[in-house]
Amino acid sequence: MMAPPAVDGAFARWLAGRAGELLLEVRSERGHADPAALKAAGDKLAHDLIRTELGRWRPADAVLSEEDDHARKAWTEGDGPQPPARLEAERVWIIDPLDGTREFAEEGRADWAVHVALWSKQATGPLKLAAGAIALPAQDRVLGTDYPPAYPPMPVSTASGGPVRLAASRSRPPAFLSAVAEEVSAELVPMGSAGAKIAAVISGDVDGYLHAGGQYEWDSAAPVAVAVATGLHASRIDGSALKYNQPDPRLPDLLVCRTDLAPRLLAALRRQLKVE
């Protein structure tokens, strides 16, 4: 087997792409007759591949993967003699081997993804994301920080005076989202995984994506890294900075959107959520 790219950004793209290819094979071989079994197989096999390749090519780096045991556990002083290794590491790969298991298990759906991001103490800015890639296997594309996409053109519908388009969860949109959409005259566009939604913002298919109510670092690290590299706005819904590799891996809310739209959406969010 040939060695993968040495540069972290290209390596993230390679790794996300490899996992995506495997997931397409799993989907094709197993079919959709048993969605639960397909979800479980996809999660496990993609996780095992990514963990194996990181162990082979980046053995000194720590890893935070959604499929790790106790990945969701927040660490606090007193939990043990030492914090998790990732909290003292110089570099941590933040991984979601299969973002959007529900969509992955539905025949014909393409709005699921693989997330591979690298957090580094040496990286600049509050995000400290040194590299990232989102594979969208069923769409036959990978977006990465090594060659970030151009800043997206404004959607034709928006440019011609139509409503702002906001990606929204198919299953659990935030309760306040309808009120925000009404205030900014937005149209909600239901989509699957968080990665697919942020990819839609990066590609210019929608103007923004906001979420609240339950996510973890692996849900957003890779797509946010690519979005920021593209020049888009990314923050918490109160406008504060997103932070990764934290003792508590929960990162329950975020806003990713066109930079010209950010002040308008943040103002509407402050009014709806009564944030000072």
Side-chain angles (χ1 to χ4, degrees):
M1 175 181 171
M2 293 181 60
V7 177
D8 288 323
F11 177 79
R13 179 188 291 272
W14 173 84
L15 188 55
R18 285 280 315 281
E21 290 169 2
L22 174 63
L23 286 166
L24 288 175
E25 291 174 7
V26 172
R27 213 183 190 203
S28 175
E29 291 170 1
R30 289 180 173 261
H32 295 79
D34 188 342
L38 180 58
K39 291 177 188 178
D43 266 333
K44 182 181 187 310
L45 291 171
H47 169 79
D48 289 350
L49 181 149
I50 291 171
R51 270 289 195 171
T52 297
E53 298 298 354
L54 286 172
R56 178 180 299 157
W57 303 109
R58 297 293 191 274
D61 296 348
V63 180
L64 173 63
S65 171
E66 180 184 20
E67 298 305 310
D68 287 334
D69 292 339
H70 312 299
R72 290 170 172 77
K73 178 176 171 52
W75 184 84
T76 57
E77 293 287 347
D79 279 351
Q82 292 182 329
R86 68 178 179 84
L87 295 180
E88 298 182 341
E90 291 290 323
R91 292 159 48 96
V92 181
W93 292 90
I94 303 175
I95 306 299
D96 192 341
L98 174 51
D99 180 53
T101 53
R102 174 179 171 181
E103 289 73 28
F104 173 73
E106 292 184 25
E107 189 170 4
R109 294 209 69 95
D111 47 349
W112 51 276
V114 177
H115 298 177
V116 176
L118 174 63
W119 176 93
S120 171
K121 280 186 180 179
Q122 305 306 316
T124 58
L127 297 176
K128 301 233 174 256
L129 295 175
I134 325 161
L136 299 146
Q139 300 177 31
D140 193 28
R141 60 184 179 137
V142 182
L143 307 177
T145 56
D146 56 337
Y147 292 104
Y151 190 83
M154 185 176 291
V156 173
S157 60
T158 306
S160 61
V164 169
R165 291 165 56 85
L166 298 178
S169 172
R170 297 172 59 209
S171 57
R172 55 181 193 280
F176 61 84
L177 183 55
S178 294
V180 171
E182 183 176 355
E183 180 170 339
V184 301
S185 300
E187 173 189 352
L188 299 182
V189 183
M191 293 184 188
S193 76
K197 295 185 190 77
I198 297 175
V201 182
I202 293 169
S203 301
D205 297 320
V206 295
D207 298 286
Y209 165 53
L210 60 90
H211 178 82
Q215 284 187 352
Y216 290 82
E217 292 183 8
W218 49 77
D219 289 306
S220 65
V224 161
V226 180
V228 170
T230 300
L232 293 164
H233 170 91
S235 71
R236 301 286 300 270
I237 59 174
D238 64 358
S240 62
L242 295 160
K243 294 183 180 180
Y244 294 92
N245 195 34
Q246 299 298 297
D248 186 348
R250 289 178 297 177
L251 190 53
D253 60 80
L254 81 160
L255 167 65
V256 179
C257 66
R258 300 177 57 83
T259 53
D260 55 292
L261 185 59
R264 186 176 166 195
L265 286 176
L266 288 169
L269 283 164
R270 283 193 293 272
R271 286 188 287 270
Q272 294 299 330
L273 299 175
K274 298 179 171 55
V275 176
E276 297 298 330

